């Protein structure tokens, strides 16, 4: 007989398969059996009652080893379902503090042993007896952020090979089974090669594997969070539990909404307001939407951002009537989810949205707490998976009936995601329609009138080494003199290192809307940037000056929003002209090519770039370093490991680095 997971699952006894249709809600039956109500924070009570029931049973302890423990989400789940967490391995000392706090007598994970260690240095004792292993290695190498940065490194990155350490420990300890969690991008990494390698490694360790991509919201978590789960078994079979909530659940139990999860939380945390350049924008964003509300694609009358120019969690405001989108472990000042009350969620609220127990103490400052929450498996999802393992693998009869997915049964969360896109587009349309005609006229008048910004001569601005643009001198800043002459026919911006009276122009850059986007937001036909000095800092200063006026007059956030995200056709067209002939290998000739769009927007080898720019191949790295110094974002294998060694990516035809740029803190050259 075939040894495939599907064939093995089809051979399950009927009493275990338990997939016959029912009309009543499985979740409501569980609540009734446990004598509990569907009140705010109900997952805490669910975990408590399940744990009490398991404690009263007389079956032998299921000794469990936790790998890549993080903040302990899976450990909470399996602990509640009767698994004895023996050891918890975690690399980060700041996360270990949380595990140590909650492992003390009388605490949630009492008697568990946290170990701060690199898994590569962990060699379990031959005497250690383990029945089950849980955990998932860091997922950055397979994440959406990696895909957005031009593919994922997968197993080409050292973090992507940590599953091999997992396999090494499996071979050493030979438990009955394991549960492995990661982002679903792992399946598509390296065109599926990484996923095949991972499956083969687990199978060669002696385990039959069963896997599914699940959405946490389908299992009682007030958060949409899609993750890959692998269950590996030495013997026996495994079916994944059927959803307890949502349209795919038995009885169509409604989702556990964000509002229901947090409505009884008393907010004691301070400094939850959102300030800064974009904080005020959150107020008008309808719940469920993000920065895209302020794009022309959504129909906003005065777009600030370009479509898909930001991550989806940028200025994302949660919808109280739905589960929130995925809580991210790390993010910037404007990374949501934000509350529908136009503030940040408190840590207590984020714990509820991730179904961490109120009594479970997460140690650290706000950012460290969010890291631990965002990196964890939501405990309520983990509990349902653990109960399925308890019943099918460990042979424990549960006090209520569990329903399971057949091997061929499909879930609809991907399709529902597409439906949500339509729903939120309609909400954006409704919100914009509520703007009064007077408000729109006022918005357009204030934003587009160049008369509000009179023409100026010999204005002093200061460019700092981190590409900040200031009115007053800063440490290590240089002075740039500027002339502004803004008219409906042309915006003229001149820059130089000294006052600009009667100075000769050395080069100019002409900017016009591209043929496919004739209606740009600038109240002028074209823009002309003029430099009076052969100076790279003057070049950067010109772009900073243009960006500043763009922001002041139109409300556009930055130059990227004017041109559009680099993976789309640019909305502007540019040319560069010189007052005299340049040397062939001059940096200015390279800049001229980039401004024309030559050698940008795609990964190219040094040889290809040298050919396109008409320079020597051995000089490419030097040119790339120079481009970084004048504010261009340049990526290579050292800044983004998913980029093939020897290739480069310059996303935009103009400088985009600023003091808050992630790329600013990366280096093109490998450093130990």
């Amino acid at each position: 007989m075939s040894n495939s997971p599907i064939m093995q699952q089809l051979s399950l006894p009927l009493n275990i398969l338990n997939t016959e249709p029912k009309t009543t809600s499985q979740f409501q039956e569980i609540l009734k059996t446990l004598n509990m109500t569907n009140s705010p924070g109900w997952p805490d009570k669910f975990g408590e009652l399940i744990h009490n029931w398991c404690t009263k049973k007389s079956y032998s302890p299921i000794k469990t080893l936790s790998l890549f423990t993080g903040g302990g989400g899976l450990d909470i789940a399996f602990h509640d379902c009767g698994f004895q967490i023996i050891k918890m391995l975690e690399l980060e000392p700041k996360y270990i503090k949380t595990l140590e706090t909650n492992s003390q007598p009388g605490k949630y994970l009492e008697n568990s042993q946290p170990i701060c260690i690199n898994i590569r240095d962990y060699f379990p004792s031959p005497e250690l007896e383990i029945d089950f292993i849980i955990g998932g290695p860091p997922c950055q190498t397979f994440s959406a952020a990696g895909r957005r940065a031009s593919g994922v490194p997968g197993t080409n990155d050292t973090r992507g090979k940590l599953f091999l350490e997992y396999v090494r420990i499996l071979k050493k300890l030979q438990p009955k089974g394991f549960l492995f969690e990661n982002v679903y991008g792992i399946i598509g990494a390296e065109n599926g090669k990484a996923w095949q390698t991972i499956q083969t490694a687990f199978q060669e360790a002696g385990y039959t594997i069963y896997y599914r991509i699940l959405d946490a919201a389908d299992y009682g978590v007030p958060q949409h969070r899609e993750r890959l789960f692998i269950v590996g078994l030495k013997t026996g079979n495994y079916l994944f539990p059927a959803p307890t909530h949502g349209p795919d659940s038995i009885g169509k139990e409604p989702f556990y909404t964000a509002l229901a999860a947090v409505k009884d939380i008393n907010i004691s945390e301070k400094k939850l307001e959102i300030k800064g350049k974009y904080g005020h924008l959150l107020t008008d964003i309808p719940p469920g939407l993000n920065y895209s509300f302020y794009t022309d694609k959504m129909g906003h009358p005065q777009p600030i951002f370009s479509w898909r120019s930001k991550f989806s969690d940028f200025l994302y405001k949660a919808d109280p009537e739905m589960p929130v989108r995925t809580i991210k472990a790390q993010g910037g000042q404007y990374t949501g989810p934000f509350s529908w009350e136009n503030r940040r969620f408190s840590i207590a609220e984020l714990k509820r949205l991730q179904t961490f127990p109120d009594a479970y103490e997460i140690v650290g400052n706000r950012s460290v707490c969010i890291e631990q929450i965002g990196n964890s498996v939501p405990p309520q999802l983990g509990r349902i998976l653990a109960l399925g393992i308890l019943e099918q693998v460990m042979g424990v009869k549960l006090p209520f009936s569990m329903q399971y997915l057949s091997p061929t049964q499909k879930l609809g969360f991907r399709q529902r995601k597409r439906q949500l896109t339509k729903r939120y587009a309609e909400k954006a349309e409704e919100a914009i329609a509520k703007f009064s005609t007077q408000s729109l006229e006022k918005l357009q008048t204030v934003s587009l009138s160049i008369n509000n910004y009179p023409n100026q001569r010999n204005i002093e601005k200061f460019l700092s080494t981190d590409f900040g643009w200031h009115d007053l001198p800063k440490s290590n800043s240089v002075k740039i003199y500027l002339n502004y002459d803004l008219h409906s026919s042309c915006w003229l911006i001149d820059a130089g290192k000294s006052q600009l009276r009667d100075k000769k122009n050395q080069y100019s850059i002409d900017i016009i809307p591209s043929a496919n986007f004739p209606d740009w937001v600038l109240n002028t036909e074209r823009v002309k940037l003029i430099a009076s000095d052969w100076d790279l800092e003057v070049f950067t200063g010109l772009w900073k000056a243009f960006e500043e006026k763009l922001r002041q007059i139109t409300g556009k956030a930055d130059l990227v929003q004017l041109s559009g995200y680099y993976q789309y056709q640019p909305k502007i067209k540019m040319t560069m002209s010189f007052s005299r002939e340049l040397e062939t290998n001059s940096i200015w000739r390279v800049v001229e090519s980039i401004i024309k769009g030559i050698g940008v927007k795609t990964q190219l080898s040094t040889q290809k770039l040298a050919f396109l720019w008409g320079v020597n191949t051995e000089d490419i790295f030097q040119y790339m370093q120079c481009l970084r110094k004048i504010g261009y974002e340049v990526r290579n294998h050292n800044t983004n490991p998913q980029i093939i060694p020897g290739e480069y990516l310059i996303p935009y035809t103009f400088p985009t680095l600023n003091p808050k740029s992630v790329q600013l803190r990366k280096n093109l050259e490998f450093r130990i």
Side-chain angles (χ1 to χ4, degrees), residues 128-178:
L128 181 64
E129 295 183 1
I130 292 295
D131 300 307
F132 208 79
I133 292 179
I134 59 175
C139 61
Q140 294 94 329
T141 57
F142 303 102
S143 70
R147 294 194 297 276
R148 184 180 173 94
S150 194
V152 295
T155 55
N156 291 324
D157 185 287
T158 55
R159 294 170 298 176
K161 295 180 180 178
L162 286 173
F163 76 93
L164 293 174
E165 301 300 324
Y166 201 121
V167 172
R168 173 179 63 82
I169 294 173
L170 280 173
K171 290 179 177 179
K172 177 70 175 178
L173 296 177
Q174 294 293 305
K176 294 180 181 178
F178 67 88

Side-chain angles (χ1 to χ4, degrees), residues 482-526:
L482 295 154
N483 284 347
Y484 299 98
D485 190 8
L486 312 182
H487 297 283
S488 59
S489 60
C490 183
W491 285 12
L492 289 174
I493 302 177
D494 298 284
K497 275 293 187 70
S498 58
Q499 293 195 3
L500 300 170
R501 294 186 183 91
D502 302 321
K503 292 195 67 175
K504 182 180 179 181
N505 298 334
Q506 303 299 334
Y507 62 83
S508 62
I509 301 168
D510 283 278
I511 307 167
I512 60 173
S514 63
N516 293 331
F517 302 96
D519 299 323
W520 66 349
V521 297
L522 301 182
N523 191 18
T524 188
E525 295 177 9
R526 65 192 182 106

Side-chain angles (χ1 to χ4, degrees), residues 94-108:
K94 56 188 177 183
Y95 303 163
I96 285 289
K97 292 180 180 179
T98 291
L99 302 177
E100 288 175 342
T101 297
N102 290 282
S103 299
Q104 300 301 313
K107 295 292 185 178
Y108 212 95

Side-chain angles (χ1 to χ4, degrees), residues 58 106-107 174 218 233 426:
S58 58
K107 295 292 185 178
Q174 294 293 305
D218 286 349
L233 300 179
E426 292 172 350

Side-chain angles (χ1 to χ4, degrees), residues 140-325:
Q140 294 94 329
T141 57
F142 303 102
S143 70
R147 294 194 297 276
R148 184 180 173 94
S150 194
V152 295
T155 55
N156 291 324
D157 185 287
T158 55
R159 294 170 298 176
K161 295 180 180 178
L162 286 173
F163 76 93
L164 293 174
E165 301 300 324
Y166 201 121
V167 172
R168 173 179 63 82
I169 294 173
L170 280 173
K171 290 179 177 179
K172 177 70 175 178
L173 296 177
Q174 294 293 305
K176 294 180 181 178
F178 67 88
L179 183 141
F180 178 98
E181 176 266 350
N182 216 292
V183 294
Y184 64 85
I186 199 172
I187 291 180
E190 304 173 64
N191 296 319
K193 293 180 181 178
W195 175 229
Q196 186 58 52
T197 299
I198 291 169
Q199 292 183 80
T200 301
F202 283 133
Q203 291 166 351
E204 289 179 348
Y207 293 86
T208 301
I209 64 171
Y210 308 87
Y211 62 89
R212 266 190 183 266
I213 298 171
L214 303 175
D215 181 2
D218 286 349
Y219 295 88
V221 179
Q223 177 188 166
H224 288 294
R225 186 185 188 92
E226 297 176 28
R227 290 295 186 268
L228 169 71
F229 290 90
I230 303 172
V231 172
L233 300 179
K234 276 287 187 184
T235 59
N237 306 284
Y238 182 75
L239 290 171
F240 282 89
T244 59
H245 291 71
D248 288 331
S249 67
I250 297 170
K252 312 299 182 187
E253 180 70 24
F255 284 128
Y256 184 29
T257 68
L259 177 60
V262 305
K263 66 180 181 180
D264 67 336
I265 294 288
N266 293 320
I267 307 299
S268 58
E269 191 175 340
K270 301 184 184 303
K271 298 182 179 180
L272 296 178
E273 66 274 19
I274 302 122
K275 297 181 179 180
K277 183 164 60 175
Y278 304 128
H280 67 285
L281 298 177
L282 191 68
T283 301
D284 286 340
I285 295 177
L289 273 73
N290 56 13
Y291 79 95
S292 63
F293 174 69
Y294 292 99
T295 63
D296 52 4
K297 190 175 180 68
M298 282 287 187
H300 198 279
Q302 190 55 47
I304 296 173
F305 303 103
S306 183
W307 184 249
R308 292 186 175 174
S309 62
K310 302 286 186 181
F311 281 105
S312 61
D313 49 16
F314 189 85
L315 289 176
Y316 160 56
K317 182 192 289 186
D319 185 341
E321 299 175 355
M322 295 290 293
V324 300
R325 295 181 189 173

Side-chain angles (χ1 to χ4, degrees), residues 295-473:
T295 63
D296 52 4
K297 190 175 180 68
M298 282 287 187
H300 198 279
Q302 190 55 47
I304 296 173
F305 303 103
S306 183
W307 184 249
R308 292 186 175 174
S309 62
K310 302 286 186 181
F311 281 105
S312 61
D313 49 16
F314 189 85
L315 289 176
Y316 160 56
K317 182 192 289 186
D319 185 341
E321 299 175 355
M322 295 290 293
V324 300
R325 295 181 189 173
T326 304
I327 297 171
K328 300 292 177 27
Q330 295 176 322
Q333 182 179 3
Y334 304 107
T335 299
F338 296 111
S339 170
W340 45 89
E341 296 178 353
N342 301 314
R343 59 171 175 80
R344 303 181 195 282
F345 281 115
S346 68
I347 295 299
E349 290 173 314
L350 290 172
K351 285 173 63 179
R352 283 281 185 91
L353 295 173
Q354 192 81 353
T355 64
F356 267 86
D358 291 348
Y360 191 85
E361 185 177 349
I362 302 179
V363 180
N365 60 29
R366 179 178 172 86
S367 63
V368 172
C369 288
I370 292 175
E371 277 184 40
Q372 294 175 79
I373 294 170
N375 275 330
S376 295
V377 175
Q380 183 57 27
L381 168 57
R383 290 183 186 112
I384 301 300
L385 294 174
L387 287 171
I389 293 167
L390 192 66
E391 181 173 66
Q392 298 176 72
V393 180
M394 304 303 172
V396 176
K397 182 174 177 56
L398 299 176
F400 44 75
S401 175
M402 286 281 288
Q403 301 296 317
Y404 295 98
L405 295 168
S406 70
T408 57
Q409 189 171 346
K410 295 183 179 180
L411 299 176
F413 53 82
R414 292 283 172 79
Q415 183 178 357
R416 292 194 294 272
K417 185 186 293 186
R418 291 191 288 270
Q419 294 170 349
L420 276 178
T421 301
K422 180 180 178 181
R423 171 186 174 180
Y424 289 129
E426 292 172 350
K427 291 186 71 170
E429 185 178 356
E430 292 173 4
I432 291 169
K434 291 179 181 178
F435 288 170
S436 67
T437 303
Q438 184 178 4
S439 297
L440 287 179
E441 290 176 350
K442 181 179 178 182
L443 174 65
Q444 292 171 342
T445 300
V446 171
S447 297
L448 295 177
S449 176
I450 60 176
N451 295 325
N452 294 329
Y453 302 94
N455 297 322
Q456 302 162 299
R457 298 191 65 80
N458 286 309
I459 300 301
E460 296 179 4
K461 297 288 289 191
F462 296 88
L463 177 68
S464 56
T465 53
D466 63 354
F467 305 106
W469 189 239
H470 313 284
D471 292 325
L472 298 173

